[in-house]
Every structure is written in C-alpha cells, then in structure tokens.
Amino acid sequence: MSPRNIPRFELCRLFGLPLLSEGEGAGAPAPLESELLFDLTGENPENRLFGRYGPGELRERLVASGLLAGLSERGYPEPVLRLSCADPSDQRICLYAGEEIRDRLLLEARLQLSPFHPRRPIGPFTEESSFRMLVIHWLVLSSPDGTFTVDRPRLPGQERPGLGLLNPTLALLKACSRELSVDGVLDVPDHFHTALFYSRAFRYLDPEAEGRFLAIARDLAGVPLALASDAIREGCLVDRRTGAPTPWPAAEQVIALRGPLSRFLRSPSYREARNRALADHRFVVNWDLYRKNLSLRDRP
C-alpha cells in the first residue's frame, strides 16, 4: 500500500512506534506485527481482536476487569470465549454459557476502531476534527436462564434479562482503549434506557444533547424505566412548553480518554452549555397518545 493510501490516523499511529518517535511516545510497547497489519491493510489472519488480542490476552483482561468474576457469581463460572475478527468494521467478542448457540449467549460486543469526525461544529471541534475512537456498534449482556418479572420487566429491544455487568464491561473496553491509544469510546444509544445506563461513564459529545438528555431523565424520574423508554420509542415524548413531539435524538455518547476530547468534556464551556440546555428543557409523556399507539401495536 502506498503511503498516500494509508489513512491519516493509521499513519500517525505508525509514527508512534518507539523507533520512529521521540519524547512522549518513546518507550511505549511496540504493536505486534499482526496489529500493524490489521491497522494498515485490514488483514487479520490470526483472528486477533484489532489484530492485537488473542483469546489468551483477552481472557487476561476479562479477569482484570472483573467481568469473569461477575459471571461466576451469577452462575456462569467458565464461559466459552469466541472471537470473530476477520472484518475490521465488525470485531466481535462473544461469551457463551457452555454451548455456542444464541440461546446460551452471555455477552456479544461488536466493535470497530475508526476515525470519528463531528457531523457539525461542536465546541472547539469542526467537521475537520478527527479522533481515533473505539466504536461500540452493538453490546448485549444477557442471562440465558433469567426471566422477566414485575420488578424487572422487559426493556425495549431486550430478548432476555440483563446481567447487571455493564460496569466491568465498560472497564474492559476502557482498558483496551488505553492500550490501543485511542482518544475515547463512542456509542450512539438507540433507546433512552441504554443512554441512561451508559451515562454512568459516558457523556454526550454535544453539551446541548447532554443537557437535553439530563432533562429527560429528570422529568421522567418518577416513571418506571421500561415504561418511559417504551413511550419515548413510541414517539410520545413531548416538549412541555411547546407541546411539540420530541423524537429520541440520535447523538454520540463518548468516554473521553485523552487529549482535546477529554479537555473539552471537562471544560467550563461544556458545563455551561450543558446546564443551559438542562434548564431550558421540560418534558412530559403524552399518555393518551401512548395508549393509542399501544392499542394499534397490539392489534393482530
């Protein structure tokens, strides 16, 4: 591959090698040959996650994150680990409770290392700004033997109850992200409840989106989560001041790990813009519309 065909973020990473760098990058562990091959060509003959982590290396990090201990406490002491990493845009981690079938799936993560550019100016960033991100395309944690109950009802999009292990899973992704020298972890939540769970560690890149999300969480705090998330999915969230329907916004949540991204999310300007949006928005659910939508949805 000629140098002009190598994407900029990959070329910059190549120049981060100890032999080619000075100062901050010097002394860092050199990437594996398979990792460089994956970065520069997308080839992954050894089926390593991002060209770097084989089953042994990944299992070490699963232990360090506390994820395997959490699974053991829930009755799944020795999950089967499978990697499917041939496609650079779909790096897949799966953990199974014994048999490798969908019904015994404990965890599925579909990930990508990718440059990210804001779709519009946000704070100090423009459409030309570029960040190297670990992108979560899909993340499921499920209990093969669990059942939904009145206290733990089905959330929108759920096939099985969750495991309550999001924190160690995010710890795993953050640890890998630091080792891979990315700027952060990125996800675009498709449901309110997903954004709420992720908000333990993630912030919306756009401070106005963060403030709007916090306003939704504040105003629907008294509504059971499954009901609130389903009502939002059904298009029944309303701006209390205008009466206008408010569709669920598709926007990027991130964990910022370093550099300008981290500084922006910790900046006074970010906090001020977030707080303004939080104060400016008031939301309510149109329950009449929700009941109507449910009757139509349940109709054979």
Side-chain angles (χ1 to χ4, degrees), residues 146-155 158-162:
T147 56
F148 295 108
T149 66
V150 173
D151 294 330
R152 293 189 65 190
R154 186 191 305 268
L155 294 167
Q158 273 192 321
E159 295 180 5
R160 288 184 171 78

Side-chain angles (χ1 to χ4, degrees), residues 269-285:
S269 64
Y270 181 91
R271 290 195 298 273
E272 290 166 5
R274 176 201 64 198
N275 292 342
R276 280 196 303 271
L278 174 59
D280 288 345
H281 287 93
R282 291 289 185 276
F283 296 101
V284 67
V285 172

Side-chain angles (χ1 to χ4, degrees), residues 131-291:
F131 305 100
R132 178 178 166 86
M133 305 294 281
L134 190 155
V135 180
I136 302 173
H137 290 303
W138 176 262
L139 179 60
V140 171
L141 290 156
S142 60
S143 173
D145 304 306
T147 56
F148 295 108
T149 66
V150 173
D151 294 330
R152 293 189 65 190
R154 186 191 305 268
L155 294 167
Q158 273 192 321
E159 295 180 5
R160 288 184 171 78
L163 287 162
L165 292 173
L166 181 61
N167 287 346
T169 303
L170 295 181
L172 168 70
L173 298 181
K174 287 167 66 176
C176 291
S177 295
R178 290 191 176 97
E179 294 174 359
L180 293 163
S181 299
V182 303
D183 296 300
V185 184
L186 181 147
D187 178 69
V188 180
D190 53 357
H191 295 291
F192 169 63
H193 67 270
T194 309
L196 193 64
F197 294 153
Y198 277 39
S199 67
R200 304 169 191 172
F202 286 72
R203 298 292 177 268
Y204 280 95
L205 177 60
D206 182 346
E208 293 184 4
E210 177 73 6
R212 185 171 58 247
F213 161 72
L214 293 175
I216 295 171
R218 175 199 64 208
D219 295 340
L220 302 189
V223 180
L225 181 57
L227 187 58
S229 192
D230 194 49
I232 292 173
R233 180 181 66 167
E234 287 291 330
C236 301
L237 186 68
V238 172
D239 185 309
R240 181 179 291 178
R241 294 178 177 175
T242 66
T246 303
W248 176 246
E252 297 87 2
Q253 277 186 318
V254 299
I255 300 175
L257 296 177
R258 64 177 188 174
L261 195 62
S262 179
R263 289 193 292 272
F264 173 57
L265 291 182
R266 292 186 286 108
S267 69
S269 64
Y270 181 91
R271 290 195 298 273
E272 290 166 5
R274 176 201 64 198
N275 292 342
R276 280 196 303 271
L278 174 59
D280 288 345
H281 287 93
R282 291 289 185 276
F283 296 101
V284 67
V285 172
N286 182 337
W287 293 114
D288 290 336
L289 178 60
Y290 182 62
R291 283 189 286 270

